[in-house]
Amino acid sequence: MTMKNIETLRWVGGTDGYLQLIDQTMLPVEFSEIECRNVETVWEAIKMLRVRGAPAIGIAAAYGVCIGLQTVAGHDETSLFKRLDEVADYLAGSRPTAVNLFWALDRMKARATELRGRVPAEIAEALLAEARAIHEEDRRTCRAIGRHGAELLSDGQGVLTHCNAGGLATAEYGTALAVLFAAAESGKKLHVYADETRPLMQGARLTTWELQQRGIDVTLVCDSAAAQVMREGRVQAVITGADRIAANGDVANKIGTYGLAISAAAHDIPFYVAAPVSTFDRSIATGEEIPIEQRDGREITHGFGRQTAPEGIDVYNPAFDVTPARLIAAIICEHGVIRPVTQERIDSRLRLRNGH
Amino acid sequence: MTMKNIETLRWVGGTDGYLQLIDQTMLPVEFSEIECRNVETVWEAIKMLRVRGAPAIGIAAAYGVCIGLQTVAGHDETSLFKRLDEVADYLAGSRPTAVNLFWALDRMKARATELRGRVPAEIAEALLAEARAIHEEDRRTCRAIGRHGAELLSDGQGVLTHCNAGGLATAEYGTALAVLFAAAESGKKLHVYADETRPLMQGARLTTWELQQRGIDVTLVCDSAAAQVMREGRVQAVITGADRIAANGDVANKIGTYGLAISAAAHDIPFYVAAPVSTFDRSIATGEEIPIEQRDGREITHGFGRQTAPEGIDVYNPAFDVTPARLIAAIICEHGVIRPVTQERIDSRLRLRNGH
């Protein structure tokens, strides 16, 4: 596969256009894209992880709103706002944990509310512009995260990552992987260890692929080998993304993140989280309150075209876990590095940039 | 599949007989047995994990010696001892970490040495008796481990286990699972969480199957979910087997065990190891000196009949890790419970029973 700029999602056309996205369930064996021309296809793509990663889900949902409104083009304002609520509620039900999803939908609704009184075609036009803005802001956000985070890494280090917080999880550059990309671009030579990330193998399928495409040394390991990799002195930092961050800095992220953070602490290795500000959910006090998505047990028992467990076996398949703030050395967002991870530091960092 | 007594290995016939064993790579979808009629088949079965688990490997190797000597039946004593050395060296090369393999081969050679001067047919007969004795002793050993370990568990507890240290890893009753079986037989109701155990899925394929067969509640989880399972208060003990135990109590076991032990410590959950005395290698001072088998990366990238990582990706696939003694609450062997896990306690427990 040749080196290419990864364009995870792309809006094609004007207000009557469609969303094209990479079907990530087919990677790395096959590179294929799907066209979402109705809101059900967007919902299914999010639900089935064809598009995944908290920021990318937010962008897909924003465009999904635009697609949903195409069916009421030419109708009156009442129909448009009714349809907007329907579409937003429907898309919000696709996955429960990634807060960027709700953030993007709320932002689209808030923008529409500002435009009440305009003709529906104008509102639809403005909402597409808003979705494009969310998309473009994510590009800039990821670059900023990369720039801030790269300063935490040194030339020659080994770095462990989990799941895929790369370009495929965002508009194009990633969060955790943005830090690695930016460090590499600034001339630091890194060796990355990528957890395969059961059950859906985002690390094996996507992270290794992205790093390989960018020419960064990467070694694939089983999730269960991470502690041994640390013990052997192969890594000097761990970095992951986040799906939701509570007010106190507790982080919900892909199942396995919490165990990694415990192991990193046991080896005195700093554990970093890279995520845009839109991942913070300050309406939630601590990680205890974050709802954890439970997924189908067949992802574990029948995940690869081969049955790997007996018929009828009980399975527990939480998609996420919660890492307490005390285990996190720093959170890297587009505004800078938050360290130590305390509610006060988070508040002051986010307030500062909001102009208060 | 109907409930049956699991007979992992069986010798069929007399000195000209053969070794029949369950092909564990086919479980749980298919129950099939293979017949080992030459030493190469035994080597391949150990190498490819058709038979696996430290005690079962030892038994298979002992019978493998008997099979290897069939080609020199009727020859002179020199040929027999030459062949014995060849066969033992060859089988010792099948897997490097499980000390029971070397222990069983050494025991077979020591027995042969005692019999020097007898006619070869008589030696072959006595060696088959020795292999049968190793097999039978393992049955009794596992029962004793179960009996001692069951006292550490309470009615109503959740217990996490990793890989398969069950009947399939031994003559029939297991080590870590023997403790669960014995606790259940004594009327304690347990709920077991079984790690699937990447890359070869012994937990998903074998442990769940064995527990299901015996009517013990079991829930399958991804390896990476173990810390979250602990955090949620679902388990009050962790128990695994061992492939080799150093003089100071450091334990080599399936990759992932070390990370589990760290997580258990972080949640104040006792971490137990169940293993026969033959697993102790007192020639090795600490776990640092235990050689760790490195296995083919394709076990990770092509394990499910579907490619899960890009072509040409680098893979690190250690089959084992080492858990330091300080993280182990107790080692359960056939002579009783060793607690705390210190060299002194190990020495005194093993010396006591050796009659010193």
Side-chain angles (χ1 to χ4, degrees), chain A residues 261-320:
Chain A
I262 294 171
S263 287
H267 294 90
D268 284 325
I269 294 169
F271 181 87
Y272 301 123
V273 169
V277 165
S278 57
T279 313
F280 285 87
D281 182 353
R282 291 198 286 168
S283 75
I284 278 189
T286 75
E288 297 296 322
E289 296 164 40
I290 300 176
I292 298 296
E293 178 182 5
Q294 302 295 330
R295 295 185 61 88
D296 190 341
R298 288 178 65 91
E299 288 183 350
I300 298 178
T301 58
H302 292 73
F304 301 92
R306 181 175 157 190
Q307 183 180 338
T308 52
E311 284 300 332
I313 204 76
D314 182 52
V315 180
Y316 179 53
N317 183 20
F320 301 95

Coordinates of all heavy atoms in Angstrom, one line a residue, chain A residues 261-320:
Chain A
A261 N -2.5 1.7 32.6 CA -2.2 2.8 33.5 C -1.6 2.2 34.8 O -0.7 2.8 35.4 CB -3.4 3.7 33.7
I262 N -2.3 1.2 35.3 CA -1.8 0.5 36.6 C -0.4 0.0 36.3 O 0.5 0.2 37.2 CB -2.7 -0.6 37.0 CG1 -4.1 0.0 37.4 CG2 -2.1 -1.4 38.1 CD1 -5.2 -1.1 37.6
S263 N -0.2 -0.7 35.2 CA 1.2 -1.3 35.0 C 2.2 -0.2 34.8 O 3.4 -0.3 35.2 CB 1.1 -2.2 33.7 OG 0.5 -3.4 34.0
A264 N 1.8 0.9 34.1 CA 2.8 2.0 33.9 C 3.2 2.6 35.2 O 4.4 2.8 35.5 CB 2.1 3.1 33.0
A265 N 2.2 2.8 36.1 CA 2.5 3.3 37.5 C 3.5 2.4 38.2 O 4.4 2.8 38.9 CB 1.2 3.5 38.3
A266 N 3.3 1.1 38.1 CA 4.1 0.1 38.8 C 5.5 0.1 38.2 O 6.5 -0.4 38.9 CB 3.5 -1.3 38.6
H267 N 5.7 0.6 37.0 CA 7.1 0.7 36.4 C 7.6 2.1 36.4 O 8.6 2.3 35.7 CB 7.1 0.1 35.0 CG 6.8 -1.4 35.0 ND1 5.5 -1.9 34.9 CD2 7.6 -2.5 35.1 CE1 5.6 -3.3 35.0 NE2 6.8 -3.6 35.1
D268 N 6.9 3.0 37.1 CA 7.3 4.4 37.0 C 7.5 5.0 35.6 O 8.4 5.7 35.3 CB 8.7 4.6 37.8 CG 8.5 4.6 39.3 OD1 7.4 5.1 39.7 OD2 9.3 4.0 40.0
I269 N 6.5 4.6 34.8 CA 6.5 5.1 33.4 C 5.4 6.1 33.3 O 4.2 5.8 33.7 CB 6.3 3.9 32.4 CG1 7.6 3.0 32.4 CG2 6.1 4.4 31.0 CD1 7.4 1.7 31.7
P270 N 5.6 7.3 32.8 CA 4.5 8.2 32.7 C 3.4 7.8 31.7 O 3.7 7.3 30.6 CB 5.2 9.5 32.2 CG 6.4 9.1 31.5 CD 6.9 7.8 32.3
F271 N 2.2 8.0 32.1 CA 1.0 7.6 31.3 C 0.3 8.9 30.9 O -0.2 9.6 31.7 CB 0.1 6.7 32.2 CG -1.1 6.3 31.4 CD1 -1.1 5.1 30.7 CD2 -2.3 7.0 31.5 CE1 -2.2 4.7 30.0 CE2 -3.4 6.6 30.8 CZ -3.4 5.4 30.0
Y272 N 0.3 9.1 29.6 CA -0.3 10.3 29.0 C -1.6 10.1 28.3 O -1.7 9.0 27.6 CB 0.7 11.0 28.0 CG 2.0 11.4 28.6 CD1 3.2 10.9 28.1 CD2 2.1 12.2 29.7 CE1 4.5 11.2 28.6 CE2 3.4 12.6 30.2 CZ 4.5 12.1 29.7 OH 5.8 12.4 30.2
V273 N -2.5 11.0 28.3 CA -3.7 11.0 27.5 C -3.7 12.2 26.6 O -3.5 13.3 27.1 CB -4.9 11.0 28.5 CG1 -6.2 11.2 27.7 CG2 -5.0 9.7 29.3
A274 N -4.0 12.0 25.3 CA -4.1 13.1 24.4 C -5.5 13.1 23.9 O -6.1 12.2 23.3 CB -3.1 12.8 23.2
A275 N -6.2 14.3 24.0 CA -7.6 14.4 23.6 C -8.0 15.9 23.4 O -7.5 16.7 24.2 CB -8.5 13.8 24.7
P276 N -8.8 16.2 22.5 CA -9.3 17.6 22.3 C -10.2 18.0 23.5 O -10.8 17.1 24.2 CB -10.1 17.5 21.0 CG -10.5 16.1 20.9 CD -9.4 15.3 21.5
V277 N -10.3 19.3 23.6 CA -11.2 19.8 24.7 C -12.6 19.3 24.6 O -13.3 19.1 25.6 CB -11.2 21.4 24.6 CG1 -12.3 22.0 25.4 CG2 -9.8 21.9 25.1
S278 N -13.1 19.0 23.4 CA -14.4 18.5 23.2 C -14.7 17.2 23.9 O -15.8 16.7 24.1 CB -14.8 18.4 21.7 OG -13.9 17.5 21.1
T279 N -13.6 16.5 24.3 CA -13.7 15.2 25.0 C -14.0 15.4 26.5 O -14.5 14.5 27.2 CB -12.4 14.4 24.9 OG1 -12.0 14.5 23.5 CG2 -12.5 13.0 25.3
F280 N -13.8 16.6 27.0 CA -14.1 16.9 28.4 C -15.6 17.0 28.6 O -16.2 17.7 27.8 CB -13.4 18.2 28.9 CG -11.9 18.0 29.1 CD1 -11.0 18.2 28.1 CD2 -11.4 17.7 30.4 CE1 -9.7 18.0 28.3 CE2 -10.1 17.5 30.6 CZ -9.2 17.7 29.5
D281 N -16.1 16.3 29.6 CA -17.5 16.4 29.9 C -17.6 16.9 31.4 O -17.6 16.1 32.3 CB -18.2 15.1 29.8 CG -19.7 15.2 30.0 OD1 -20.2 16.3 30.5 OD2 -20.4 14.2 29.8
R282 N -17.6 18.2 31.5 CA -17.6 18.8 32.9 C -18.9 18.7 33.6 O -19.0 19.1 34.8 CB -17.0 20.2 32.8 CG -15.5 20.0 32.5 CD -14.6 21.2 32.8 NE -14.9 22.3 31.9 CZ -14.5 23.5 32.1 NH1 -13.8 23.8 33.2 NH2 -14.7 24.4 31.2
S283 N -19.9 18.2 32.9 CA -21.2 17.9 33.6 C -21.1 16.6 34.4 O -22.0 16.3 35.2 CB -22.3 17.8 32.6 OG -22.2 16.5 32.0
I284 N -20.0 15.9 34.2 CA -19.8 14.6 35.0 C -18.7 14.8 35.9 O -17.6 15.2 35.5 CB -19.6 13.5 33.9 CG1 -20.9 13.1 33.4 CG2 -18.8 12.4 34.5 CD1 -20.9 11.8 32.6
A285 N -19.0 14.6 37.2 CA -18.0 14.9 38.3 C -16.8 14.0 38.2 O -15.6 14.4 38.2 CB -18.6 14.9 39.6
T286 N -17.0 12.7 38.2 CA -15.9 11.7 38.2 C -16.2 10.6 37.2 O -17.4 10.5 36.7 CB -15.8 11.1 39.6 OG1 -16.8 10.1 39.8 CG2 -15.8 12.1 40.7
G287 N -15.2 9.8 37.0 CA -15.4 8.7 36.1 C -16.4 7.7 36.4 O -17.0 6.9 35.6
E288 N -16.7 7.6 37.7 CA -17.8 6.7 38.2 C -19.1 6.9 37.5 O -19.9 5.9 37.4 CB -18.0 6.8 39.7 CG -16.8 6.6 40.6 CD -16.4 5.1 40.5 OE1 -17.2 4.2 40.4 OE2 -15.1 4.9 40.5
E289 N -19.3 8.1 37.0 CA -20.6 8.4 36.4 C -20.7 8.2 34.9 O -21.7 8.4 34.3 CB -21.0 9.9 36.8 CG -21.2 10.2 38.2 CD -21.2 11.7 38.5 OE1 -21.7 12.4 37.7 OE2 -20.6 12.0 39.5
I290 N -19.5 7.9 34.3 CA -19.5 7.8 32.9 C -20.2 6.5 32.5 O -19.8 5.4 33.0 CB -18.1 7.8 32.3 CG1 -17.4 9.2 32.7 CG2 -18.1 7.6 30.8 CD1 -15.9 9.3 32.3
P291 N -21.2 6.5 31.6 CA -21.8 5.3 31.2 C -20.9 4.5 30.3 O -20.2 5.0 29.4 CB -23.1 5.7 30.4 CG -22.7 7.1 29.9 CD -21.8 7.7 30.9
I292 N -20.8 3.2 30.5 CA -19.8 2.3 29.8 C -20.6 1.5 28.8 O -21.5 0.7 29.2 CB -19.0 1.5 30.7 CG1 -18.2 2.3 31.7 CG2 -18.1 0.5 29.9 CD1 -17.1 3.2 31.0
E293 N -20.3 1.6 27.6 CA -21.0 0.8 26.5 C -20.7 -0.7 26.7 O -19.5 -1.0 26.7 CB -20.5 1.4 25.2 CG -21.1 0.6 24.0 CD -20.5 1.1 22.6 OE1 -19.6 2.0 22.7 OE2 -21.0 0.7 21.6
Q294 N -21.7 -1.5 26.7 CA -21.5 -2.9 26.7 C -21.8 -3.4 25.3 O -22.9 -3.1 24.7 CB -22.5 -3.6 27.7 CG -22.4 -3.1 29.1 CD -21.1 -3.4 29.7 OE1 -20.5 -4.5 29.4 NE2 -20.6 -2.6 30.6
R295 N -20.9 -4.2 24.7 CA -21.1 -4.6 23.3 C -21.3 -6.1 23.2 O -21.2 -6.8 24.2 CB -19.8 -4.2 22.5 CG -19.8 -2.6 22.4 CD -18.7 -2.2 21.5 NE -18.8 -2.6 20.1 CZ -19.5 -1.9 19.2 NH1 -20.1 -0.8 19.5 NH2 -19.6 -2.4 18.0
D296 N -21.7 -6.5 22.1 CA -22.1 -7.9 21.8 C -21.0 -8.9 22.1 O -19.8 -8.7 21.7 CB -22.5 -8.0 20.3 CG -23.2 -9.3 20.0 OD1 -23.0 -10.3 20.8 OD2 -23.9 -9.4 19.0
G297 N -21.3 -9.9 22.9 CA -20.3 -10.9 23.2 C -19.7 -11.6 22.0 O -18.6 -12.2 22.1
R298 N -20.4 -11.6 20.9 CA -19.9 -12.3 19.7 C -18.7 -11.6 19.1 O -17.9 -12.2 18.4 CB -21.0 -12.4 18.6 CG -22.1 -13.5 19.0 CD -23.2 -13.6 18.0 NE -22.7 -14.1 16.7 CZ -22.7 -15.3 16.4 NH1 -23.1 -16.3 17.2 NH2 -22.2 -15.7 15.2
E299 N -18.5 -10.3 19.5 CA -17.2 -9.7 19.1 C -16.0 -10.5 19.6 O -15.0 -10.5 19.0 CB -17.2 -8.2 19.6 CG -18.1 -7.3 18.9 CD -17.9 -5.8 19.4 OE1 -17.2 -5.6 20.4 OE2 -18.5 -5.0 18.8
I300 N -16.2 -11.1 20.8 CA -15.1 -11.9 21.4 C -15.2 -13.3 20.9 O -14.1 -13.9 20.6 CB -15.2 -11.8 22.9 CG1 -15.1 -10.3 23.4 CG2 -14.2 -12.7 23.6 CD1 -15.2 -10.1 24.9
T301 N -16.3 -13.9 20.9 CA -16.4 -15.4 20.6 C -16.4 -15.7 19.1 O -16.0 -16.8 18.8 CB -17.7 -16.0 21.2 OG1 -18.8 -15.3 20.7 CG2 -17.7 -15.8 22.7
H302 N -16.7 -14.8 18.3 CA -16.8 -15.1 16.8 C -16.2 -13.9 16.0 O -16.6 -13.6 14.9 CB -18.2 -15.2 16.4 CG -18.9 -16.4 16.9 ND1 -19.3 -16.5 18.3 CD2 -19.3 -17.6 16.3 CE1 -19.9 -17.7 18.4 NE2 -19.9 -18.4 17.3
G303 N -15.1 -13.4 16.5 CA -14.6 -12.1 15.9 C -13.9 -12.2 14.6 O -13.7 -11.2 13.9
F304 N -13.4 -13.4 14.3 CA -12.5 -13.4 13.1 C -12.8 -14.5 12.1 O -12.0 -15.1 11.5 CB -11.1 -13.6 13.6 CG -10.7 -12.5 14.5 CD1 -10.8 -12.6 15.9 CD2 -10.2 -11.3 14.0 CE1 -10.5 -11.6 16.7 CE2 -9.8 -10.3 14.8 CZ -10.0 -10.4 16.2
G305 N -14.1 -14.8 12.0 CA -14.5 -15.9 11.1 C -14.2 -17.2 11.6 O -14.2 -18.2 10.9
R306 N -13.8 -17.3 12.9 CA -13.6 -18.6 13.5 C -14.1 -18.5 15.0 O -13.8 -17.6 15.7 CB -12.1 -18.9 13.5 CG -11.8 -20.2 14.1 CD -10.3 -20.6 14.0 NE -9.9 -21.5 15.0 CZ -8.7 -21.9 15.3 NH1 -7.7 -21.4 14.7 NH2 -8.5 -22.8 16.3
Q307 N -14.9 -19.5 15.4 CA -15.4 -19.5 16.7 C -14.3 -19.9 17.7 O -13.6 -20.9 17.6 CB -16.5 -20.6 16.8 CG -17.2 -20.7 18.1 CD -18.3 -21.7 18.1 OE1 -18.8 -22.1 17.1 NE2 -18.7 -22.2 19.3
T308 N -14.2 -19.1 18.7 CA -13.0 -19.3 19.7 C -13.5 -19.6 21.1 O -12.7 -19.6 22.0 CB -12.1 -18.0 19.7 OG1 -12.9 -16.9 20.0 CG2 -11.4 -17.8 18.4
A309 N -14.8 -19.8 21.3 CA -15.3 -20.2 22.6 C -16.5 -21.1 22.4 O -17.1 -21.1 21.4 CB -15.6 -18.9 23.4
P310 N -16.8 -21.9 23.5 CA -17.9 -22.8 23.3 C -19.2 -22.1 23.1 O -19.4 -21.0 23.5 CB -17.9 -23.5 24.7 CG -16.6 -23.3 25.3 CD -16.2 -21.9 24.8
E311 N -20.1 -22.8 22.5 CA -21.5 -22.3 22.3 C -22.1 -22.0 23.6 O -21.9 -22.7 24.6 CB -22.4 -23.4 21.7 CG -22.2 -23.7 20.2 CD -22.5 -22.5 19.3 OE1 -23.3 -21.6 19.7 OE2 -21.8 -22.4 18.3
G312 N -22.8 -20.9 23.7 CA -23.6 -20.6 24.9 C -22.9 -20.0 26.0 O -23.4 -19.8 27.1
I313 N -21.6 -19.7 25.8 CA -20.8 -19.2 26.9 C -21.2 -17.7 27.3 O -21.5 -17.0 26.4 CB -19.3 -19.3 26.6 CG1 -18.4 -19.4 27.8 CG2 -18.8 -18.2 25.7 CD1 -18.5 -20.7 28.5
D314 N -21.2 -17.4 28.6 CA -21.5 -16.0 29.0 C -20.2 -15.2 28.7 O -19.1 -15.6 28.9 CB -21.8 -16.1 30.5 CG -22.1 -14.7 31.0 OD1 -23.0 -14.0 30.5 OD2 -21.5 -14.3 32.0
V315 N -20.5 -14.0 28.2 CA -19.4 -13.1 27.9 C -19.6 -11.7 28.5 O -20.8 -11.2 28.5 CB -19.2 -12.9 26.4 CG1 -18.1 -12.0 26.0 CG2 -19.0 -14.2 25.7
Y316 N -18.6 -11.1 29.0 CA -18.7 -9.7 29.5 C -17.8 -8.9 28.6 O -16.6 -9.1 28.6 CB -18.2 -9.7 31.0 CG -18.3 -8.3 31.6 CD1 -19.4 -7.5 31.6 CD2 -17.1 -7.8 32.3 CE1 -19.4 -6.2 32.2 CE2 -17.2 -6.5 32.9 CZ -18.3 -5.7 32.8 OH -18.3 -4.5 33.4
N317 N -18.4 -7.9 27.9 CA -17.6 -7.2 26.9 C -17.8 -5.7 27.0 O -18.4 -5.0 26.1 CB -18.1 -7.7 25.5 CG -17.3 -7.0 24.4 OD1 -16.2 -6.5 24.6 ND2 -17.8 -7.1 23.2
P318 N -17.3 -5.1 28.1 CA -17.4 -3.6 28.2 C -16.4 -3.0 27.1 O -15.3 -3.4 27.0 CB -16.9 -3.3 29.6 CG -16.0 -4.5 29.9 CD -16.5 -5.7 29.2
A319 N -16.9 -2.0 26.4 CA -16.0 -1.4 25.4 C -15.0 -0.4 25.9 O -14.0 -0.2 25.3 CB -16.9 -0.6 24.4
F320 N -15.3 0.1 27.2 CA -14.4 1.1 27.8 C -14.1 0.7 29.2 O -14.8 -0.1 29.8 CB -15.1 2.4 27.7 CG -15.4 2.9 26.3 CD1 -16.6 2.6 25.7 CD2 -14.4 3.5 25.5 CE1 -16.9 3.0 24.4 CE2 -14.7 3.8 24.2 CZ -15.9 3.6 23.6

